[in-house]
Amino acid sequence: MNSLIVLPLLIPLFTGTILIFFAKNTLTQRWISAAGSILMIIVSLWLAATVYNEGIQTMNLGNWEAPFGITLVSDMLSALLVVTTSLIGFVCLLYSFRYIEKEREEHFYYPVFFFLLLGINGAFTTGDIFNLFVFFEVMLMSSYVLLVLGGTKIQLRETIKYLLVNVIASALFVIAVGYLYSVVGSLNMAHISVRLAEMGQSGIITVIAVLFLIVFGAKGALFPLYFWLPGSYYAPPAPVLAMFGALLTKVGIYSIARTYTLLFNQDVGFTHGLLEVLAILTIIVGVIGAIAFSDIKKIIIYNIIVAVGVILFGVATFTQESLAGSIFYIIHDMNIKAALFLLIGIVIKITGTSDMTKMGGLIHRFPALAWTFFIAAAALAGIPPLSGFPGKVLIISSGFANGNYWGAAVVLLSSLFVLFSAMKIFMNVFWGKPETYANQEKVPVKWLLASPAILTVFAVLFGFGTEALYPVIMNAAETLSNPEIYINAVLKE
Amino acid sequence: MEIVMSLLIGILFMSATYLMLSKSLLRVIVGTGLLSHGAHLLILTMGGLKTGAAPLLGQNAESYTDPLPQALILTAIVISFGITALFLVVAYRSYQELGTDNLELMRGKEGNE
């Protein structure tokens, strides 16, 4: 019994609730939200340290024994993702203080922001499949509101599409849980895992596994189900976009990784083979989008899809090494996508457009912005001392070691195109002839730049500190590749 | 009984899919309503339709129906109720703002931020 595990959920819940009462007082809202966010970082770091020192932490809510009540489980992977979420939440909040207009701030921007964090942290920490659905809905409901808040034409249009896709995906989630319940008769993930292992392989379990892949693939933008993402993510303002790009799709990926390592590990040849093919196709589609557009937002949005493919390729390879690679990469990618969206948010604020053919020469006026973007872009592509490198190395080397030469080659080649797309932005936006833009004097660049700079410094430290982080990540990968550890921690047999 | 329910749920899913593929936004929302009806009935059916008393201990029956799917459905109903309410308001607002309910006409990327 450890109540520390529930604090990353309670803090955003209470902060969000308190913030509702101060809707019109933006200054109070900012102070309370900053305090809540810093508290979240401290608590999540404490939780991660506890998990590392004492093993998996579980908490049975209401003192009901494991399969009968709801269990919250924090293994190393969940704890690391909660830490990353809290950090990204804090910097996006810092950025929002100056980026979001007063109108939006007064209409419950910060409360909804915290409810989004609650949904994400809950989805990472829960040990119950229906509770996962509920936290998905908490997260999605907040994301609908953040997407439509402001009510411009593009936001309304894209919110309708995003809402519809997610309503359908949620209904499929309910259906999948219904099927799983009728086969297994339990909702606790560890207990389901035990029951599925007892039953051995039957066709219906594979069908349910594919149904879950469709559900989480729609949330996490996997190949045939990515179609909603480029349009929907184009609509919201930069800090909201950074939250979405960094966190929402990653919850879908985490759920695939969790279900495909813990629950559906019987017929690995079929399910993980399918996942591998879809991951490779996702990478190809993402890369095509990333090099096709001359709109800086679109380019980074398609880079999300590439990263989804790379992470899932590591999950599909399903060795301890490749899972460690995926964990390295998912943390790196959450961090760096947030940094890039915040950076291009500044660029769009300065130039008033997101078309990179209409801008140039920003490096002369804003050198700090330019070099931060350069480092972030290099980290995105996986240049060695930076944070994208260790994950990709592990994913590719275990791909080759398992004889999957084509898949590993596609991952390797994708890095080249990702680098090309990011450097295309750098060369077009920051080099060339300086131009003057209407509102470049008014933008508080110094303040806004602080947030992506924190994340970029974090990316550099993450890259240089790989050796120090390696045991932590291996600890997380061991739990994933060896579900016995998880099951024993929850059911205490 | 489960067979009849499965057929019924299948018909609900079929109608929902058909409606969601149409052009008018209101038809799409009616489709999502049917889809969630189907999903909720599916949980009830998948939990088993064996006869038994309502899950109230005061009934002193020998066997009860499974209480868990009923709790799941209750949760799913309020969630889909909340989302449908939001969806309807967004549809109303976008009808005011965009002046159309035809999904084919909701294109383009102007009006950014």
Side-chain angles (χ1 to χ4, degrees):
Chain A
M1 256 326 251
N2 191 338
S3 50
L4 180 62
I5 184 174
V6 81
L7 285 181
L9 312 185
L10 287 184
I11 293 171
L13 174 65
F14 284 126
T15 317
T17 314
I18 292 167
L19 283 171
I20 291 175
F21 297 106
F22 299 100
K24 297 295 164 201
N25 192 341
T26 36
L27 203 64
T28 320
Q29 283 206 68
R30 288 178 188 176
W31 278 107
I32 294 174
S33 51
S37 189
I38 289 169
L39 203 61
M40 259 175 82
I41 295 181
I42 295 168
V43 165
S44 57
L45 281 172
W46 187 12
L47 175 64
T50 316
V51 172
Y52 184 64
N53 290 327
E54 298 170 15
I56 298 177
Q57 301 290 308
T58 64
M59 179 182 180
N60 294 327
L61 297 178
N63 260 342
W64 295 95
E65 284 303 307
F68 303 113
I70 290 175
T71 314
L72 295 180
V73 188
S74 191
D75 65 345
M76 205 59 228
L77 174 60
S78 331
L80 284 172
L81 291 175
V82 168
V83 171
T84 320
T85 307
S86 308
L87 179 75
I88 291 170
F90 173 67
V91 292
C92 287
L93 201 64
L94 213 61
Y95 190 91
S96 305
F97 291 163
R98 289 292 166 87
Y99 197 93
I100 297 291
E101 305 86 348
K102 199 168 183 325
E103 289 245 295
R104 279 181 181 160
E105 275 183 320
E106 281 180 354
H107 287 91
F108 303 101
Y109 176 82
Y110 296 115
V112 181
F113 190 94
F114 274 94
F115 293 139
L116 182 71
L117 287 177
L118 163 68
I120 293 164
N121 277 349
F124 286 146
T125 331
T126 187
D128 183 285
I129 199 93
F130 195 76
N131 201 224
L132 178 68
F133 165 74
V134 175
F135 277 122
F136 259 105
E137 292 305 316
V138 172
M139 174 185 93
L140 288 171
M141 194 87 89
S142 321
S143 73
Y144 305 145
V145 176
L146 281 180
L147 189 59
V148 81
L149 194 68
T152 58
K153 283 184 179 171
I154 185 171
Q155 283 181 308
L156 286 166
R157 247 189 342 244
E158 296 305 334
T159 304
I160 287 174
K161 295 166 197 170
Y162 180 73
L163 248 167
L164 182 60
V165 169
N166 281 302
V167 166
I168 296 170
S170 299
L172 278 176
F173 198 165
V174 173
I175 293 164
V177 170
Y179 284 150
L180 190 62
Y181 179 71
S182 76
V183 174
V184 182
S186 177
L187 293 170
N188 182 301
M189 292 210 254
H191 196 220
I192 295 172
S193 176
V194 173
R195 289 266 180 98
L196 286 179
E198 281 167 3
M199 272 181 230
Q201 188 45 50
S202 69
I204 186 73
I205 295 171
T206 311
V207 171
I208 294 170
V210 174
L211 194 53
F212 270 105
L213 184 63
I214 292 171
V215 172
F216 295 137
K219 315 261 183 196
L222 202 58
F223 161 62
L225 303 163
Y226 69 95
F227 55 87
W228 54 272
L229 186 134
S232 298
Y233 281 21
Y234 197 82
V240 176
L241 174 58
M243 290 290 287
F244 284 15
L247 303 174
L248 293 197
T249 50
K250 305 304 180 294
V251 179
I253 298 170
Y254 164 81
S255 308
I256 292 177
R258 182 61 80 199
T259 48
Y260 271 56
T261 52
L262 182 63
L263 309 184
F264 308 115
N265 48 19
Q266 307 291 321
D267 186 12
V268 174
F270 180 79
T271 49
H272 289 63
L274 179 69
L275 184 59
E276 193 176 294
V277 172
L278 292 181
I280 291 168
L281 288 171
T282 310
I283 296 173
I284 292 171
V285 167
V287 157
I288 291 172
I291 55 179
F293 285 95
S294 66
D295 185 306
I296 51 178
K297 252 190 195 176
K298 274 268 151 71
I299 292 174
I300 310 292
I301 286 170
Y302 274 98
N303 271 310
I304 301 176
I305 300 175
V306 182
V308 168
V310 172
I311 296 164
L312 287 181
F313 180 75
V315 174
T317 310
F318 204 40
T319 61
Q320 190 167 338
E321 204 188 24
S322 75
L323 288 169
S326 286
I327 296 167
F328 262 118
Y329 203 76
I330 194 171
I331 294 169
H332 143 75
D333 191 66
M334 287 163 85
N335 175 47
I336 210 72
K337 284 284 144 58
L340 282 170
F341 280 122
L342 296 178
L343 284 166
I344 63 168
I346 303 175
V347 171
I348 290 170
K349 200 89 167 171
I350 293 169
T351 61
T353 172
S354 62
D355 186 350
M356 69 183 178
T357 56
K358 289 182 189 155
M359 32 180 132
L362 283 184
I363 197 167
H364 300 289
R365 298 241 5 193
F366 306 104
L369 175 66
W371 291 115
T372 313
F373 185 87
F374 183 78
I375 297 169
L380 176 73
I383 307 287
L386 300 169
S387 65
F389 181 67
K392 240 174 212 172
V393 147
L394 286 171
I395 291 172
I396 292 169
S397 70
S398 52
F400 279 126
N402 281 299
N404 192 343
Y405 301 110
W406 281 108
V410 168
V411 176
L412 208 51
L413 258 180
S414 75
S415 311
L416 184 66
F417 289 110
V418 165
L419 183 66
F420 170 72
S421 68
M423 283 304 144
K424 198 168 68 170
I425 298 179
F426 183 71
M427 288 164 70
N428 276 298
V429 174
F430 294 104
W431 286 0
K433 199 161 60 66
E435 292 178 36
T436 47
Y437 303 98
N439 48 355
Q440 70 179 26
E441 303 301 334
K442 284 178 253 160
V443 181
V445 174
K446 279 209 180 100
W447 174 281
L448 292 180
L449 190 59
S451 310
I454 293 171
L455 292 177
T456 313
V457 168
F458 185 69
V460 173
L461 291 179
F462 190 81
F464 278 100
T466 309
E467 196 70 41
L469 278 167
Y470 192 73
V472 182
I473 305 276
M474 278 321 266
N475 183 337
E478 202 187 341
T479 320
L480 275 192
S481 63
N482 201 353
E484 289 296 313
I485 305 172
Y486 186 99
I487 294 167
N488 289 339
V490 176
L491 297 179
K492 306 218 168 56
E493 279 160 1
Chain B
M1 195 62 198
E2 275 88 348
I3 304 262
V4 181
M5 286 298 277
S6 308
L7 283 172
L8 175 71
I9 294 161
I11 291 168
L12 279 173
F13 284 161
M14 188 179 70
S15 326
T17 315
Y18 178 74
L19 282 171
M20 284 189 294
L21 290 172
S22 60
K23 282 183 188 173
S24 156
L25 185 53
L26 272 182
R27 279 168 181 270
V28 171
I29 298 177
V30 172
T32 60
L34 288 185
L35 185 68
S36 52
H37 274 314
H40 300 154
L41 281 180
L42 186 126
I43 299 187
L44 195 69
T45 314
M46 285 295 156
L49 294 173
K50 296 169 288 292
T51 47
L56 297 167
L57 287 178
Q59 305 234 332
N60 292 322
E62 276 179 19
S63 70
Y64 294 92
T65 47
D66 191 352
L68 194 60
Q70 303 188 13
L72 301 189
I73 293 168
L74 195 61
T75 314
I77 285 173
V78 290
I79 289 174
S80 71
F81 182 72
I83 290 173
T84 309
L86 178 74
F87 203 171
L88 281 167
V89 171
V90 169
Y92 177 61
R93 187 85 187 86
S94 63
Y95 177 68
Q96 285 182 325
E97 198 78 13
L98 306 170
T100 177
D101 78 327
N102 189 339
L103 284 166
E104 293 269 310
L105 298 176
M106 293 190 188
R107 292 168 188 273
K109 55 181 186 183
E110 80 280 3
N112 187 25
E113 292 200 11

